[in-house]
Amino acid sequence: MQNGSDTRLRLLDAAEKVIREAHGSLQISVRRITAEADCNVASVSYHFGSLEQLGVATARRVYRRLNQERLAELQAVIDRAAPKAPGVHDILRALIGTSVRWSLDPASPYAVFLYLNRLSSLSDKPEIFDEMVQDITHHRIFADYLGRAAPWYDHGEITWRLAAALGVRSQFTRHADRCAVLTEGQIGALDAEDLIDELCRIIAPMFSRPDQAVRTLAPSASAAGRRSNTV
């Protein structure tokens, strides 16, 4: 006999699968999810209250996985740099790497975040999204290490720059088609790891010493070489 926690877990697994495989939000429904989970339709209301709240719970679980991967990558960076502190580029790579990789991988759960964005824009219950919006514990960890790598900025300045770095990342993960047009197709020539390196190269000067902050944004030699080889 299956208990309530088993049913709840099956619904979360099914919701993630349905969202990931859906072609448009109209394909994400209670009936489709409960059929995938082998549950009755009423189970969504019983365990989550609504399809919208199931979507939020699914995104919250995926977000925890993403943050675990981020922090694991950060720890690897810290271990490699020991006994010194890691540099800005490596910290930024750990910060944005997982999101970029997921956004470019159709098999990843990144579609859950896109679905959540749609839900939040249409919802008449914005408070149900508050927990995810305010979950910045992992960001504070990155801010701490960025502060050590760029001690010429105080904590407030570091967090402003961290927020800007995340904005750059989101432009490329959420609006890839627009970015491809703006860059005249250049990002299409890069794989995930190259794109992460290029974004870090662009973001890193925000954390440079104020008297060294002016940097040319011409493509790095290695990236330019990669692109020229694809022509």
Side-chain angles (χ1 to χ4, degrees):
M1 182 176 180
Q2 296 167 337
N3 58 36
S5 62
D6 290 336
T7 301
R8 191 177 194 280
L9 182 59
R10 291 207 317 281
L11 286 169
L12 288 168
D13 289 341
E16 182 178 330
K17 185 174 186 293
V18 168
I19 294 169
R20 193 173 65 241
E21 295 177 354
H23 298 287
S25 57
L26 292 179
Q27 293 187 3
I28 303 168
S29 66
V30 168
R31 289 192 178 278
R32 189 178 292 256
I33 291 170
T34 52
E36 178 67 33
D38 193 23
C39 300
N40 62 62
V41 172
S43 61
V44 169
S45 179
Y46 178 79
H47 288 281
F48 296 96
S50 66
L51 174 61
E52 182 179 47
Q53 289 172 309
L54 171 57
V56 173
T58 303
R60 193 158 51 235
R61 190 175 69 153
V62 171
Y63 192 48
R64 283 197 294 269
R65 293 209 307 270
L66 181 140
N67 290 333
Q68 287 167 357
E69 288 196 26
R70 276 176 171 166
L71 292 175
E73 190 168 351
L74 177 62
Q75 187 60 56
V77 164
I78 294 167
D79 293 342
R80 285 198 303 270
K84 297 181 179 180
V88 167
H89 183 280
D90 288 339
I91 297 169
L92 291 174
R93 212 175 193 288
L95 175 69
I96 71 172
T98 303
S99 297
V100 173
R101 291 185 198 100
W102 282 19
S103 72
L104 296 176
D105 181 4
S108 83
Y110 191 78
V112 174
F113 297 138
L114 300 179
Y115 178 62
L116 182 74
N117 288 338
R118 177 171 174 76
L119 284 180
S120 64
S121 68
L122 299 174
S123 179
D124 58 357
K125 297 178 181 178
E127 65 278 2
I128 70 175
F129 303 91
D130 286 350
E131 182 178 340
M132 282 195 64
V133 170
Q134 296 172 10
D135 182 9
I136 59 169
T137 302
H138 60 289
H139 289 132
R140 293 190 189 281
I141 296 171
F142 279 95
D144 181 48
Y145 278 96
L146 285 168
R148 299 181 199 183
W152 34 85
Y153 292 123
D154 63 23
H155 178 73
E157 189 68 25
I158 288 290
T159 57
W160 270 95
R161 289 163 192 264
L162 173 57
L166 292 171
V168 173
R169 181 279 320 268
S170 295
Q171 179 68 16
F172 282 81
T173 56
R174 297 182 187 178
H175 307 289
D177 291 344
R178 179 185 296 171
C179 289
V181 174
L182 284 170
T183 63
E184 298 179 349
Q186 292 181 61
I187 68 169
L190 304 178
D191 64 17
E193 300 308 314
D194 287 341
L195 178 57
I196 293 165
D197 281 335
E198 285 294 275
L199 293 179
C200 289
R201 179 185 61 80
I202 292 167
I203 296 167
M206 290 194 293
F207 297 90
S208 298
R209 291 178 64 96
D211 58 348
Q212 299 175 349
V214 177
R215 294 286 188 275
T216 176
L217 293 186
S220 62
S222 60
R226 285 193 298 267
R227 283 195 285 270
S228 64
N229 290 336
T230 65
V231 176

